[in-house]
């Protein structure tokens, strides 16, 4: 099973492939790695169980992909697969996998594509072709962080980011690198609209997901405005590390497991409804 990629369908990619970030944010160095890994694995199982429960009551399985790291999240990925929920793996680690994933993801740091040095794009093209030959779907995430030199050359941060975005998408198209799904950072509506316009050049039908930066409910209205003004955005990426605070509370026994699961489930449901409402807003504009 794969996630629905139609532009009128709202999708959620759950990213549980960042155990190192979780370690750094939540745990101290006094604990053994094996203990920390077990706690993070349990955390990932709770997220996965929340999704499974949601698919039984509210949202179709086809609207989800769970992205894992092929190590600490392995049990969660296997549980998702047994419940017919699509799964993906981050290819940046370059490790072989014994699990058959439907999606393979590459994170591309745009700042590493130096002027006139296209070797990273050649390398990416080879990886992209191999993913397709293996029968998998290809997800590409663009990370755009301008250097001081870039800002000095082009001016304001947001203008530099848009220039870098336009350049990299154009180069990717020129190299015939055409992901099934793009992931971009949730920035302002102008940036997102520029990304959507570039990615959908020549009537390309790719899906675009925005990486959700927070689980705070008070940001929903702002997100609605951004999504509602941006054509072609049909999904969100929800990362494990946005639940840093509630995970810490759970580990410190400030909240129960039931409350922990409910909080995550409600956040995912709110994210889905937020996206759904935003797309309705777009239709009215």
């Amino acid at each position: 099973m794969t996630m629905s990629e139609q532009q009128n369908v709202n999708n959620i990619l759950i990213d549980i492939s960042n155990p190192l970030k979780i370690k750094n944010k939540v745990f101290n160095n006094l604990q053994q790695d094996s203990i920390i890994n077990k706690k993070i694995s349990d955390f990932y199982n709770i997220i996965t169980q929340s999704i499974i429960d949601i698919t039984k009551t509210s949202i179709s399985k086809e609207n989800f992909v769970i992205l894992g790291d092929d190590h600490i999240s392995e049990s969660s990925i296997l549980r998702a697969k047994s419940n017919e929920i699509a799964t993906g793996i981050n290819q940046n680690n370059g490790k072989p996998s014994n699990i058959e994933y439907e999606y393979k993801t590459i994170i591309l740091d745009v700042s590493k594509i130096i002027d006139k040095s296209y070797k990273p794009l050649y390398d990416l093209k080879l990886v992209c072709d191999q993913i397709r030959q293996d029968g998998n779907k290809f997800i590409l995430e663009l990370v755009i962080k301008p250097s001081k030199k870039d800002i000095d050359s082009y001016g304001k941060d947001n203008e530099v980011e848009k220039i870098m975005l336009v350049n990299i998408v154009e180069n990717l198209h020129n190299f015939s690198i055409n992901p099934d799904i793009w992931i971009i950072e949730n920035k302002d509506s102008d940036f997102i609209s520029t990304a959507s316009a570039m990615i959908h050049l020549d009537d390309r039908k790719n899906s675009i997901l925005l990486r959700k930066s927070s689980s705070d409910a008070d940001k929903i209205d702002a997100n609605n405005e951004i999504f509602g003004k941006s054509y072609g955005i049909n999904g969100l990426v929800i990362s494990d590390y946005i639940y840093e605070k509630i995970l810490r509370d759970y580990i410190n026994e400030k909240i129960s497991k039931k409350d922990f699961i409910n909080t995550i489930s409600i956040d995912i449901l709110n994210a889905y409804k937020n996206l759904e409402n935003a797309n309705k807003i777009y239709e009215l504009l």
Side-chain angles (χ1 to χ4, degrees):
M1 177 180 289
T2 57
M3 183 174 70
S4 177
E5 292 157 26
Q6 300 174 36
Q7 289 192 359
N8 62 345
V9 175
N10 306 303
N11 295 308
I12 303 289
L13 187 153
I14 305 294
D15 182 2
I16 53 172
S17 69
N18 306 285
L20 184 58
K21 283 188 178 181
I22 299 293
K23 286 181 183 180
N24 293 337
K25 285 175 173 286
V26 177
F27 297 94
N28 59 55
N29 294 326
L30 299 178
Q31 294 176 298
Q32 294 180 354
D33 271 355
S34 59
I35 295 174
I36 294 175
N37 289 346
K38 176 65 168 61
K39 289 182 178 180
I40 296 176
S41 178
D42 291 344
F43 168 48
Y44 288 166
N45 281 323
I46 285 174
I47 293 177
T48 303
Q49 188 58 52
S50 298
I51 296 164
I52 292 169
D53 292 344
I54 288 171
T55 62
K56 292 177 180 177
T57 58
S58 306
I59 306 173
S60 170
K61 295 176 182 179
E62 292 184 357
N63 294 95
F64 284 104
V65 172
I66 299 181
L67 179 67
D69 71 333
D70 209 34
H71 175 44
I72 294 177
S73 63
E74 182 175 336
S75 62
S76 297
I77 292 296
L78 292 173
R79 179 178 294 185
K81 291 183 76 66
S82 69
N83 283 272
E84 299 182 323
I85 296 172
T87 59
I89 181 70
N90 186 334
Q91 284 289 96
N92 287 71
N93 59 27
K95 296 178 181 177
S97 173
N98 294 321
I99 300 175
E100 292 186 8
Y101 296 89
E102 291 83 10
Y103 291 87
K104 293 191 176 177
T105 300
I106 295 290
I107 299 174
L108 180 64
D109 185 345
V110 175
S111 64
K112 293 183 178 178
I113 309 297
I114 304 171
D115 292 343
K116 307 300 180 184
S117 176
Y118 295 123
K119 186 179 185 303
L121 293 178
Y122 282 112
D123 294 342
L124 181 60
K125 171 64 174 169
L126 293 174
V127 173
C128 174
D129 290 346
Q130 186 60 54
I131 288 172
R132 292 274 164 70
Q133 288 175 21
D134 292 341
N136 299 119
K137 297 280 189 175
F138 177 36
I139 302 175
L140 180 65
E141 178 164 9
L142 297 181
V143 176
I144 300 177
K145 295 181 179 178
S147 65
K148 185 178 184 303
K149 179 182 176 182
D150 293 324
I151 295 172
D152 290 342
S153 298
Y154 298 108
K156 298 179 181 178
D157 285 20
N158 57 344
E159 291 301 319
V160 176
E161 289 170 349
K162 282 194 282 187
I163 291 169
M164 293 174 71
L165 170 75
V166 169
N167 287 340
I168 189 60
V169 174
E170 185 176 31
N171 282 328
L172 289 167
H173 285 166
N174 289 339
F175 274 78
S176 298
I177 298 171
N178 193 36
D180 298 286
I181 298 173
W182 298 72
I183 297 175
I184 59 176
E185 192 175 346
N186 185 359
K187 297 180 182 288
D188 61 79
S189 58
D190 285 343
F191 177 89
I192 295 170
S193 295
T194 300
S196 179
M198 285 300 301
I199 288 168
H200 292 129
L201 273 177
D202 301 324
D203 202 30
R204 290 177 171 87
K205 302 298 183 183
N206 319 70
S207 293
I208 303 175
L209 309 184
L210 297 184
R211 186 172 285 279
K212 191 170 182 277
S213 58
S214 170
S215 63
D216 296 337
D218 59 1
K219 295 190 177 182
I220 286 177
D221 290 340
N223 283 338
N224 264 334
E225 183 179 354
I226 289 174
F227 298 146
K229 291 181 179 178
S230 305
Y231 169 75
I233 305 301
N234 69 330
L236 288 173
V237 180
I238 299 178
S239 306
D240 43 16
Y241 50 80
I242 71 170
Y243 298 119
E244 166 197 351
K245 182 178 182 298
I246 186 175
L247 173 59
R248 188 179 289 111
D249 287 345
Y250 173 62
I251 290 170
N252 293 330
E253 299 183 347
K254 292 182 178 180
I255 61 171
S256 67
K257 183 175 181 178
K258 181 179 179 181
D259 288 340
F260 188 32
I261 293 172
N262 285 343
T263 301
I264 292 174
S265 298
I266 289 169
D267 186 68
I268 293 171
L269 280 169
N270 284 342
Y272 180 84
K273 290 176 182 177
N274 177 35
L275 180 65
E276 193 173 44
N277 290 336
N279 283 331
K280 290 177 182 177
I281 291 172
Y282 178 82
E283 292 173 2
L284 296 174
L285 293 178

